[in-house]
Amino acid sequence: MRTSLSLALAVGVMAVAVAVPGASAAVPDSARVGPGPVRWGPCPEDVTAPGLECSTLDVPLDHRRPEGRRIGIAISRLASENPSQRRGVLVTNPGGPGGAGLEYPAVLAGAGLPREVLDSYDVIGFDPRGVGRSAPVTCDLTREQQYRGNFAPYAHPPADVAREARYARTVAKQCAASRTASALPHITTANTARDMDRLRAALGEPKLSYLGHSYGTQLGAVYATMFPNRGDRVVLDSNLGPGGYDVTAMRSFGRGLEDRFPDFAAFAAAHPGYGLGSTPEQVTAKFFELAKRLDEKPVRGIDGTAFRGVTFERLYADALMPGLAELWRAIDRDTALPPSPPLPANLENLLAARHYVICNDSRWPRTVREYQRNVAVDRLRYPMIGASTAGIGPCAFWPTERAEPPVRIGDRGPSNVLMVQNERDPGTPLAGARELRRAFGQRATLVTADQGGHGVYPFGGNTCANDAVTAFLTTGQRPARDQACPAEPGA
């Protein structure tokens, strides 16, 4: 069995909802627009979402040199069917970095975005620069490299980290030598935020509203910081910390699994037919037993790193828990493995774009020794997966200086940000959301939901949290203070 963490980690909430669209077909040249009004037309043939219109927005590759090379940003619109109620545009992002968003308006509508929201806005999607149909980048990753996903192998002695460093350096060199390397310094969250503001202007809107999930919360926070007076109603769902997708966020996956795992342990214990234990404590012990056994001897192609990774990945949604329990049982008994979800067709671009963005956005530790220290700490602090998520990656050897410092999220600007967050989110733990909330100060209000998984609105079942977002988007009313929504039966 081949498995990869790439899908869940790179495209965030959308990975749970749908397969990621491919990157082969371009939006027709006839639909390309520059700074003027957008001319909407048919979407590429393989975009089958009903009601979706597409176009391409021309933007500078380097916003500091607006007359230089330009690239096309693929954009889409699910137009309001009730013009009398339309109040503007709602720009969306599914997460990532590396996640294509052209079809995301239709994904949201299919997932239950309320009619009053669909009436209030033209819902806008786009493939961020470097992704999908928007000047896609590459690191020339081999199939084997793609299968390795986003986490380093689970490290035991320091030598494991040093060994992985050689691989990480190789990937960084491939990115720097690829045919898209000339774009490498310009694929950043700040530049994507600038593209969003160009899109706002091209749509003829004085302000834009925004709904971003997972990494999309960083993009939204950066836009709200860079263009504080051009955001209308900003919703950030499943939040990264104020540093975005940096080394702290990468290490926080270890905490995320520890936060979320008790939900699975309770599920498996309540279904003793899986044979994983009759109490949550027994299920937890089974995790460590299987991980140790697979570190020593893989079963049907699954080693300890893959086992930890697929466990993490499938805790993104409650609906994935039965399949995870079946996989554990098959591994434990060395029987045929259940089918695994297919990897996205554009996996190489997805991973490459992720490397470009996270390595450009933040300053990562540059020495192997620092990663060795981090691994030693997180192996004890977050024993389930910490010695993997604290490991070394290509950003340690990134070949170019950052074109600008990271955007610092602060409290200057209007009070127009609503943050929503599951309490037990493996991918973006609650601790990071609370840090981002503190950074925003009075600009933001935080609504938490007593549920697990990655993604609240409209994917989760907590009506308290969902209603808070709908009310904000349609009326502008936020809770007067931070709100904790209790668990709801069946949610």
Side-chain angles (χ1 to χ4, degrees), residues 47 57 65 88-89 101 123 163 185 199 230 256 262 274 330 342 350 356 385 389 405 441 463-464 474:
V47 176
L57 179 74
R65 297 177 173 83
V89 296
V123 184
R163 185 179 306 109
L199 174 58
R230 296 177 188 170
Y274 290 118
L350 188 154
Y356 278 49
I385 205 169
T389 54
T463 56
C464 166
T474 55

Side-chain angles (χ1 to χ4, degrees), residues 13 27 50 56 98 111-112 121 126 165 173 180 194 228 244 262 282 314 331 336 383 404 423 431 440 450 474 487:
V13 173
V27 177
T56 300
Y121 297 95
F126 69 105
K173 287 182 177 179
T180 60
R194 295 180 177 108
Q282 290 176 351
R314 296 191 185 180
I331 293 171
E404 59 185 319
E423 291 185 4
F440 268 128
D450 184 358
T474 55

